[in-house]
Amino acid sequence: MSQTFRTAIVVGASSGIGLALAEQLAASGCRVAAIARRKDRLDELATRFPNLVLPFAHDVTEFAEVPELFQQITAQLGGLDLIIYASGIMPEVGKTEFNTDKDISTINVNVLGAIAWLNQAAIRFQGSQTGTIIGIGSVAGDRGRPGQPVYNTSKAALSTFLEALRNRLSKLGVIVINVKPGPVDTEMTRHLGFKNAISADDAARIILSKTTRSREYYLEPKHHLIFAIIRRLPSWIMQRLGI
Ligand SMILES: NC(=O)c1ccc[n+]([C@@H]2O[C@H](COP(=O)([O-])OP(=O)(O)OC[C@H]3O[C@@H](n4cnc5c(N)ncnc54)[C@H](OP(=O)(O)O)[C@@H]3O)[C@@H](O)[C@H]2O)c1
């Protein structure tokens, strides 16, 4: 870990990357508010890190609950150094399926939940002129692809929102980071059988080692080159390749 945090909120801490982040932060002595819907998972985490992990059951699509819950959590933590928004969903979408219900859920969790939580952090950090905000984006936000149109859209929107926060807050001393993982072996992706996925523990280790400056980066260094090319491919080539 490149920096020691004393207090943190991890939204989406019940599994995968968010769970690994909460575990590693708590193991470093940080007090962590762990947020997700599955309270049993959060309670189990809190049992492993007594007095360090505070579990809060919350559905991020309940946007109106966020301001009061944020105040309650920061009071209980006794401050806030870091917030990580890791909640996300990627519903299965058939090749010919256009399903607005799934699309609304994806935008609600991946984008509007992030905005609701990170706006609260932005207000606090703007006042204190310190603090770190991390959003878990994805390489999937770099292009609109046939397989996951709205998951792609959600990660592109998150990236743009985080860029705007960075452009508002960095000059005040607040660090704003968008990290873009490729495949990570978690409950979200396990059924896809990725051969090249990295572990959630490794993903969390890298994320927590790169917290000292505002930026957007790919979790895996090889993706900087690969996605520099993919971002520049003309649409007609993307269509031909079907990727
Ligand atoms: N795995 C990958 O290959 C990969 C690659 C790039 C980016 N990402 C991103 O990484 C982030 C973490 O995903 P993951 O791979 O670790 O998947 P995961 O294991 O499925 O974790 C998703 C987390 O989001 C939470 N969540 C989902 N809906 C929620 C809701 N309505 N309210 C509150 N929390 C909610 C889940 O908690 P509850 O269900 O308990 O609420 C869980 O803690 C996501 O943003 C994902 O898009 C993943």
Side-chain angles (χ1 to χ4, degrees), residues 11 35 37 57-71 73 85 87-89 101-121 123 154 158 161:
V11 187
I35 298 172
R37 291 167 304 177
H58 165 73
D59 182 330
V60 295
T61 65
E62 298 293 338
F63 312 120
E65 289 179 4
V66 177
E68 197 179 322
L69 185 54
F70 183 88
Q71 293 305 327
I73 288 172
Y85 191 88
S87 284
I89 57 169
D101 288 339
K102 288 182 185 177
D103 294 345
I104 289 171
S105 299
T106 304
I107 295 295
N108 280 346
V109 175
N110 298 9
V111 184
L112 297 179
I115 292 171
W117 277 94
L118 301 184
N119 273 347
Q120 294 304 309
I123 293 166
S154 74
L158 181 65
F161 172 64

Side-chain angles (χ1 to χ4, degrees), residues 12 14-17 37-38 59-60 86-88 137 151 155 182 184 186 189:
S14 58
S15 64
I17 300 169
R37 291 167 304 177
R38 288 171 291 178
D59 182 330
V60 295
S87 284
Y151 182 74
K155 293 300 181 181
V184 182
T186 67
T189 53

Side-chain angles (χ1 to χ4, degrees), residues 91-100 102-103 146-147 149:
E92 281 189 56
V93 178
K95 281 194 167 67
T96 58
E97 182 182 11
F98 295 91
N99 185 320
T100 306
K102 288 182 185 177
D103 294 345

